[in-house]
Amino acid sequence: MFCRRGAGRRTPAQAHRHTSGGRSVLLTVRTAGERPAGYVPGAPHLPPSRLTAGAGLPVTAPGKPVPTIRRGGRRSREAVKVLAGGGVEAHDVAGGIAARVRDGLPVTGRNVSAGVIS
């Protein structure tokens, strides 16, 4: 399942199943400038700077696991560490938004139709 107080990884398909069923809340942790290039429709957005500054989670997230997603996945693992440090059940989506595009899962953005995520 999900990882509490530590960084776990899930595939884009696993995260999609959990968020589609309402069992978790996918959190986009891209910067405001990166987000328009590619993001998951309906996923709340919390830039990394706000997350590390202690910003609260979206109202839909408390009590649910929170998978985090960025472009490629590396920096979302850092977000998981911050969330886990605050007692949130969290994990990152392996391969990030780029992997969602490759897997044919919903992504919106400027270059998504070309298969390019910046």
Side-chain angles (χ1 to χ4, degrees):
M1 287 300 278
F2 291 89
C3 191
R4 184 176 299 278
R5 296 192 197 322
R9 301 194 88 189
R10 295 296 174 258
T11 67
Q14 288 170 324
H16 182 71
R17 274 194 310 274
H18 283 264
T19 57
S20 295
R23 293 180 287 176
S24 63
V25 175
L26 181 65
L27 184 64
T28 300
V29 290
R30 301 194 83 182
T31 66
E34 293 171 326
R35 188 174 184 272
Y39 62 93
V40 178
H45 178 237
L46 185 59
S49 59
R50 290 192 52 227
L51 180 65
T52 56
L57 290 173
V59 296
T60 55
K64 293 183 180 180
V66 178
T68 63
I69 193 163
R70 289 215 41 168
R71 178 178 167 258
R74 181 185 59 81
R75 291 183 287 173
S76 65
R77 288 190 298 275
E78 295 168 9
V80 167
K81 290 177 185 176
V82 171
L83 292 168
V88 175
E89 185 175 346
H91 69 271
D92 80 298
V93 178
I97 291 172
R100 279 185 67 94
V101 169
R102 284 192 304 273
D103 290 353
L105 296 168
V107 175
T108 299
R110 289 188 300 249
N111 300 317
V112 172
S113 61
V116 177
I117 302 293
S118 56

